[in-house]
Amino acid sequence: QKEVEQNSGPLSVPEGAIASLNCTYSDRGSQSFFWYRQYSGKSPELIMSIYSNGDKEDGRFTAQLNKASQYVSLLIRDSQPSDSATYLCAVNGDDTDKLIFGTGTRLQVFP
Amino acid sequence: DTGVSQNPRHKITKRGQNVTFRCDPISEHNRLYWYRQTLGQGPEFLTYFQNEAQLEKSRLLSDRFSAERPKGSFSTLEIQRTEQGDSAMYLCASRLSGLAEETQYFGPGTRLLVL
């Protein structure tokens, strides 16, 4: 059973701080990794995709991938109250096009 | 692009009834996916299509569930003889294969409540 693990939280950070979200996955053959943000009652929206080891930055967001450790993370700099949501880690295996999601980490950014 | 659209947005039905949901993918996207999400969980894969061909179906998917994409454009997901455990958000996503970017784009979802 291929799995994606996330701490469910909530992760509470003050406005302006860095929020660090972590995810581990079980399938060593996984090639594609995604972070989605989901507001309550809404559908997931893409924050970042990453395919190779290292860091990928997009504005206030940085995704980090370490395939040897089977670990992917998302850093949110200068966190805003509007960043308060559930962040879903999703992984795509090398033998399938389906996404396997973690249960999500709930982030709360307080003023 | 107008994005992925799903209809209806909400559906309330009684146990034992059949329901059908529709998904219209982003124009030109040849791959279309169905997921189901329950409260506190991440989306769970159900099935996906490339054009009109159904390429993969979850082994956990009951025979009461069937999906079609007859002309390779919109797709329908039917649930027969609904059960209370079918209550969930049903999400559709699409993407264009063959690109380096493999992101799946999600629609707004159809929220099903089975009484």
Side-chain angles (χ1 to χ4, degrees), chain A residues 1 31-32 34 36 38 41-46 49 51 56 88 92 95-104, chain B residues 31 33 35 37 40-43 45 48 56 59 89 91 95 100-109 111:
Chain A
Q1 176 73 6
Q31 297 292 326
S32 309
F34 306 88
Y36 285 86
Q38 187 172 31
K42 303 296 185 183
S43 64
E45 59 176 321
L46 181 76
S49 61
Y51 302 99
K56 179 181 178 182
L88 296 163
N92 188 333
D95 60 346
T96 178
D97 200 34
K98 68 185 180 189
L99 291 178
I100 300 171
F101 284 84
T103 56
Chain B
R31 290 204 173 176
Y33 310 79
Y35 294 85
Q37 186 177 23
Q41 301 297 313
F45 171 77
Y48 86 91
E56 188 172 349
R59 288 171 292 175
M89 171 84 90
L91 294 162
R95 79 175 184 93
E101 178 54 62
E102 300 178 357
T103 298
Q104 295 179 22
Y105 296 92
F106 284 84
R111 188 173 295 279

Side-chain angles (χ1 to χ4, degrees), chain B residues 4-103:
Chain B
V4 179
S5 61
Q6 294 187 245
N7 287 288
R9 296 291 304 278
H10 303 273
K11 180 70 176 178
I12 300 174
T13 191
K14 293 182 179 179
R15 188 177 53 183
Q17 298 296 304
N18 299 344
V19 294
T20 299
F21 308 142
R22 174 174 171 134
C23 171
D24 287 87
I26 293 172
S27 170
E28 306 302 324
H29 280 192
N30 59 340
R31 290 204 173 176
L32 185 150
Y33 310 79
W34 286 99
Y35 294 85
R36 174 175 61 190
Q37 186 177 23
T38 54
L39 198 62
Q41 301 297 313
E44 174 191 27
F45 171 77
L46 296 179
T47 188
Y48 86 91
F49 295 83
Q50 175 156 304
N51 300 314
E52 65 275 10
Q54 188 173 20
L55 295 189
E56 188 172 349
K57 185 176 177 180
S58 170
R59 288 171 292 175
L60 302 176
L61 201 58
S62 161
D63 289 344
R64 297 182 296 105
F65 288 70
S66 62
E68 293 184 334
R69 194 182 183 198
K71 297 182 180 179
S73 56
F74 72 91
S75 175
T76 58
L77 177 68
E78 181 182 18
I79 309 174
Q80 297 182 327
R81 305 181 302 282
T82 52
E83 301 173 357
Q84 288 183 325
D86 297 331
S87 297
M89 171 84 90
Y90 289 83
L91 294 162
C92 177
S94 72
R95 79 175 184 93
L96 182 62
S97 66
L99 301 178
E101 178 54 62
E102 300 178 357
T103 298

Side-chain angles (χ1 to χ4, degrees), chain A residues 37-39 80-87 107-110:
Chain A
R37 177 176 62 197
Q38 187 172 31
Y39 293 112
Q80 301 297 310
S82 58
D83 294 326
S84 298
T86 295
Y87 289 79
L107 173 65
Q108 294 178 334
V109 181
F110 56 91

